[in-house]
Every structure is written in C-alpha cells, then in structure tokens.
Amino acid sequence: MKNVKILHLLLFLVFLHACFARADFAPYFYDNGPYSHNGNLALFSLSEDTAVGTQIYSLNGTDPEGQEVRYGISFDPGSKEYFRVDPVSGNITLVEQLDREKQDSIDVLVSITDGRSEVVERVTIFVMDANDEKPDFQNMPAIIDVLETTESGSSIFKVEAVDRDTGSGGSVTYYLQNPQPTLFAIDRFSGVLRIKSGEMLDYEKTKTHFVTVVAKDGGGNFNGKEQFMSSSATLTINVIDAQDTPPSFIGTPYFGYVYEISVPGSEIFTVLAKDGDVGNPNPIHYSFEEGDDGVFHINKTSGCITLLTLPIYLKREIFNIKVKASEVSPEGILLDYGLATVVIRVVDLNNNPPTFYGEKGPQNMFELTMYEHPPEGEILRGLKITVNDSDQGANAKFNLRLIGPGRMLRVVPQTVLNEAQVTILVEDSAAMDYEKNHFLTYKLLAVEIDTPERFSATADIVIHLLDTNDNAPKFSSDYYIARIPENSPGGSNVVSVTATDPDSGPWGEVKYSIYGSGADLFLIQPASGIIYTQPWASLDAEVRSKYNFYVKAEDTEGKYSLAEVFVTVLDLNDHPPAFNDNFLETTMVIGAPVKIEAVDDDAEIPNNVIEYAIMKADPDNNIFDINADTGEIMLKSYIKSMAIIQNITKQRDCTWSLVVQARDRGQPSFSTTAVIKIDITESVKPIRCDMMNSTVLSEVIHSKYMKKTKEEEPEPEVVVENVNYNNNVPNVVRQWPPPPPPFAPSLPPPPPPYIPGERRWAVPTVSATVAAKPKKKPVGTREDTVNKALVSELKMRLEQKRMKHH
C-alpha cells in the first residue's frame, strides 16, 4: 500500500512537471519613465524640428522564458505613419516631417512578441514646439483714410498679427520698418498705430503715406539654435483734405501797362488764384482791397482788370493795387482769402518796330559770295546793313541775334539803342566748308527788350561759298589686304583701292600711284585704282609669299594721302615630291633602318607634307616596312638573320628592288615614285648569302671585281622628269631645281628645251615618273673595304672547315 502511494505521488509530480513545461508567459516592455530613450515609448516627447531619418527611440523589452523578442509599430487606419522600427533592435526612426501646428500628438501602437505571444500597447507621443512659424498679419495689408485735421497723438489703426508657435516663439511685438523720422508711431505690444505727438497730417504736402509694419516673435529654439522670425506688411494711409488752407495766387508778381492809346474797357491784366485745399477746392471771388483809385475794375469771377477811364485822366504813372481772392462756401459765404499786388504802369505808345536798311533803303534780304574758310575774326565787308527803331527811350532798345547753322558767324553789336551799323564776323572758319554746304542761310533778328509788345524784325542773310582745294584725297581704308593664287598669270587683278577728294572740279580728281620695295611686281591704273600684276610677273609662294607697298592718291595740286597694301601669294600644290638621288642605291644592315627622303618645294602645309609607302618589292613583297612619316625602311620585325630572308625568297641573292612612293597631302595630291636598290647584310658580314666554300669565294670575288670594273665605266646621266597635272597649273615639264625668278622689269627668259635621256628602272605613276640616277663611284670607296673584309672572312671560314675534316 505504501508503495502504491509512492507511485501515485511520482505520477503526480511528473504530471505537474509536464504542465509547467508547457506553460508560455508573454513578453513585456521595460517601463523606464518619461525621460528615457528606451523602453515602451510611454510619455515620450519629440521636437517638431527633428530631422527626418533621425533615430529617436529604442523599444526595449524581454521574454520571461528568455526567448528572442521582436518589436513592431503601427498606426490607426488613415493616420500618417511618422515612424519606422527595426524589429530586431527596436530602434525607431522618424520618417515623416513633424509639424506641431498641424498635429501636436501622435498615437502609436507598439508591440513585442516572442513568436508565440504578442503584447500591444497604445502610447501617445507629444510633438514639442520649435520656433518655425512667422507671425501672420490678420488685417494687413490695408488702406485707411485719415482726415488731415486729425489731432496729434490720435490712434488711427490697430495692427494684429498671430504666431502659431508657443511660448516666446508665439509672442509678437510690432515695429515700423522706416528708421528715418516719420509722422507715425506704433505701440510695440498692442500694435496700435498713432500720429506722433507734435505731428500733423497735411494733405497739401503729402496725400498718401506708406507705412511698413514689422511683426517679430520673441525667438525660440530651432534645429539647436535660437531663431527669431518676422513678417512685414504695408499700410496705406490716404490723407483726406480739409478746408484749412487759404487761396493762393498763381504767377506772381503781376505787372500791367496802360498805353497812351488805351480806351475805357481795355483789359490791363488778369490775376489767377486757386483754393489751397486742392482736394476739394472752393470757387474764388476777386475784389480790390486798395490802390485802385476808382479808375480800374476787376471781374469778381475771372480776375480780369480793366480800365474805366481815358489814360489822360490818370493822375499817377504807377498804381500798386492790392487784389483780394476769397473762398466762397457752398452757402455763398466768403471764407479764407489771400492777397496779391498788381503793379500797373502808364507808358507811352510803342508803335515803331526795328527796321533793317540796305544801301537803297529798307531791305530784308542780303546776299554775299565768298571763298570757303575765311580767316576767323574777318568782317564780312560785302554786307552793308543798318538797323533802326524810331521810338524813344526804352521803346527803342532792342537786341540783335543771328540764327543759323552752328556758330560760324557772330553779330556785333548785340544791344542797340535807336540805330547801329550791323557787323558780321567769322567765328568758326573750319565750319564754313563748301563740301558741307554750298551756301549758308541765316536769320538776323532784332527784338525789343523792355517793351510789352516786344516788336521785332528779321532779315535773311544768304552767303554763297566758293570752293578751294582744301582737302587731300582720302582712302576708304588705311590699309588693304589682298590674296592672289601663285599660278595667276601676269596682268591679274590684285585689289582695287579707292580714295575720294570732296573738292570740286579738277581739285577733286584723284590719280593713283604705288611705290615701295615690294611694288616691283605690281602696277596700278592711275584713274581707277585697280592694282594688277606686271605682265611678265610670275608669282611663286615658294620664292616669296608676302609683299607690301604703299599706294598714293594725289590731286592736281599735289595734295595726297597714303595707304598700305599687303599682298599674300597663296600657295598651290604645284610641286610633286622629289627624291634625292643619293638614296637610290644603299646597303641595309639587319636590325638597322635605311632612310629615304623626298622634298616637296611647295611653301605651305599640307602641300609640302609627304607620306611614304612601298608600292612593290622584288623579289618578295612581304619583307619590308616603311614609316609613312619619316621614310625609314626596315625589315619586318620577325626577320632577324640572313637565313630567314633566304628561306622566304628561296634565293641566295640579297639584292632587292623596291618601288617607293612619296605622296603629298595637297588637293589635288601629287605623288612620285623611285626605285631603291638595297643590298642586305648582317653587320659587317659580306652582303652575299652563300659563301661557305672556295667556289663561292671565287664567284664572289669575280662578281665583285666585274661589278667594280663595270661601275667605273661612266654611264649616261639619267634625267628625272616630274609631270604635274593640276587644275591651276598647266601641263608643263618642270626642271629641278627650278630656274630663279626673273628680275623686274625685264621679261623672263624662255624655258630651256627639254630632251629626256635614257631612263633606267622607270616606274610610271599617276602624277610623275622618277628614274634613279646612279653616280660614279670613286676609287677607294667603302665598296673596296667591304670586298677586302669579305675575302678575309671567307678564307677564315674555309680554314676552319678544313680543320674539322682533318
């Protein structure tokens, strides 16, 4: 029985163990308080200026069973998702920009799970304010009307601005932007705008004022720095006119005149006044205040003063009349007024204007003929003019003026009393130019000075100018630039120069001539100015490509001017490349190049730039290379010995014949070919290939001896003939080197007769045929030295071979 109980107890313990083994406790967050940056995000706050991408918090929790936990974050449906969490580390990152003014708190669901159980908590994150908002005006910009009589210190407007930030960043103070003195002031806290104490508005001075108000916050933190933000707006103040300004007279001082012939009712003068309140003016009423003596009348509406009696009844010569201008209210009541003085003078009648006289009486037209450019200060004696005014005193005083083109002439005297003899002087001689004006027309004007009528008289003065030779011919340019191809025939036009002489008749005729060291090849047509080459001239850019000389334009009296002419001879591709015959036969040592050279006598690139090419090689085409730019001929890189050459050609003879082409880069291109004989050798070894026995030795010695003997015999000279075909160059047979150019002015000699000689190795090409020109080899040349070395080396090899056999 006891054993059964023990068994039951053991089974119960096993059952309890199994139950506890299957139990699973949920994970949970650590609650580290509101100022912690890890835990369950409870009571967490975040500034709205936090940058997107910032890690702001770390979720932190654990599982009782020690299982690995993962974190999650979610938002209510329709809400903006501001955060993202790393499920493993729990690090929370801001992914959307915060704006406290739009949303000051964010509800977030944070979760933690161990894979079996998940715990979800709702937390609220508070968005803290940063000073990122400017003050916003509620009633600005605005336009207000203020009466100009508004008292000093009165409030005229209240500015209101709101800043949505909190704390000091949301407090607003007001300032006026204009630092200079102004009529207005603003209360910095309330925003009330007032007229400054001691200041008044004045419609007559300024009708509109523009006041710029600045609203500034109290500052606050933004992105770790203190920031102040402000806004500005403009208030337009229209000043309303008030009736506070008296009338004012326009055009003072006033002067009027009564003449001896005036009659009652004659208009003497009209005064004009306007209400000083221009915004809403009242009509004006005119009246005499004093001084009229009852002999004058004024129209109360128009202000016109008239005479009431005949001038003989006037007891004074000068009247000082005070005129009163009063405002009239809409009810017809006279209000404010202004005063002005009108001075009226009684004078004699001015009934005679100035008059011009000639030798035969009154005259208003005077003519004179004279040469251009008279001396300055000279009197025009051909003009006999008198001026007269028959009135007396001030009525006979007048000014003389001369009106016309420029300031060529001057009149004397300028002020006349009664009568004077008029003198005309030359003021500007250079301006009196026949080439500019064949005749000059002036107005002689006499105008009274002190009279109210200002009587005047005019007379026409016409001066006919005669021409003189006062101009030298003038070229259209200080220098002329011309270009001419070098194949241009004699008599070709080069350039046309032009000079003009504005003088008339024979003085304006121009004759051209040229001179200078560069003018020998050129002529000029004396009348037309066309420059052309001498009939015998032959231009050659290779000989001389630049010419400059002077051209002279001269009139009939020898006045002249010069211009410089620059002529450039344009190079044409008229020379084919030519080989130097010293390179037509040579010896090549394996490993060392042989250089050929051709010369192109054209003057400019690309006409004288040469490219080389191997057209043919005999007995084999695949053994040589050539540098297209330098003309260096070399063996292919794989040829290192004579054995390779013999294997390629299957021949023992090592003498090669190469057809080499030299082509220039001109348009059209010319080319020349030459046959180059090359003997190939290995260093200082003999230039024959099979020399390993005495028979070969004797053949070589015999061959060399025969060759030397043959070469010592003179051979006929071979002439190299180059025939060019070019659009600008006729088909000619050119001699190399070319003959020297002819000397001016003699004609060039005829070209020498050309008799081609016997040609050897002649190879025709598109543009030329070049034949080799072998020279006589003198006795004791390098050829003899090579032959001696060849014999010595062959003897030594035969001795070595015999020793091996023995």
Side-chain angles (χ1 to χ4, degrees), residues 2 73 132 191 279 301 321 364 386 513 592 609 615 789:
K2 186 178 180 180
I73 190 169
D132 60 343
T301 303
I321 302 174
N364 57 8
T386 303
S513 59
V609 178
M615 309 303 293

Side-chain angles (χ1 to χ4, degrees), residues 523-544:
L523 295 173
I524 188 169
Q525 292 182 0
S528 66
I530 297 175
I531 299 175
Y532 56 97
T533 58
Q534 293 271 14
W536 49 264
S538 176
L539 301 176
D540 191 341
E542 290 74 39
V543 176
R544 183 175 179 180

Side-chain angles (χ1 to χ4, degrees), residues 254-270 288 291-297 305-321 342-350 395 450-453:
Y254 295 143
F255 297 94
Y257 299 90
V258 176
Y259 302 100
E260 56 185 351
I261 61 171
S262 299
V263 297
S266 298
E267 293 184 6
I268 305 303
F269 196 83
T270 299
F288 288 138
D292 62 297
D293 289 357
V295 295
F296 297 99
H297 174 267
I305 300 175
T306 57
L307 182 65
L308 295 177
T309 184
L310 291 172
I312 58 174
Y313 298 114
L314 300 179
K315 302 192 186 284
R316 288 190 287 172
E317 293 184 3
I318 297 176
F319 292 85
N320 291 310
I321 302 174
V342 180
V343 178
I344 298 177
R345 182 184 297 272
V346 181
V347 296
D348 291 333
L349 180 63
N350 180 29
N395 291 337
D450 298 327
T451 63
E453 297 85 8

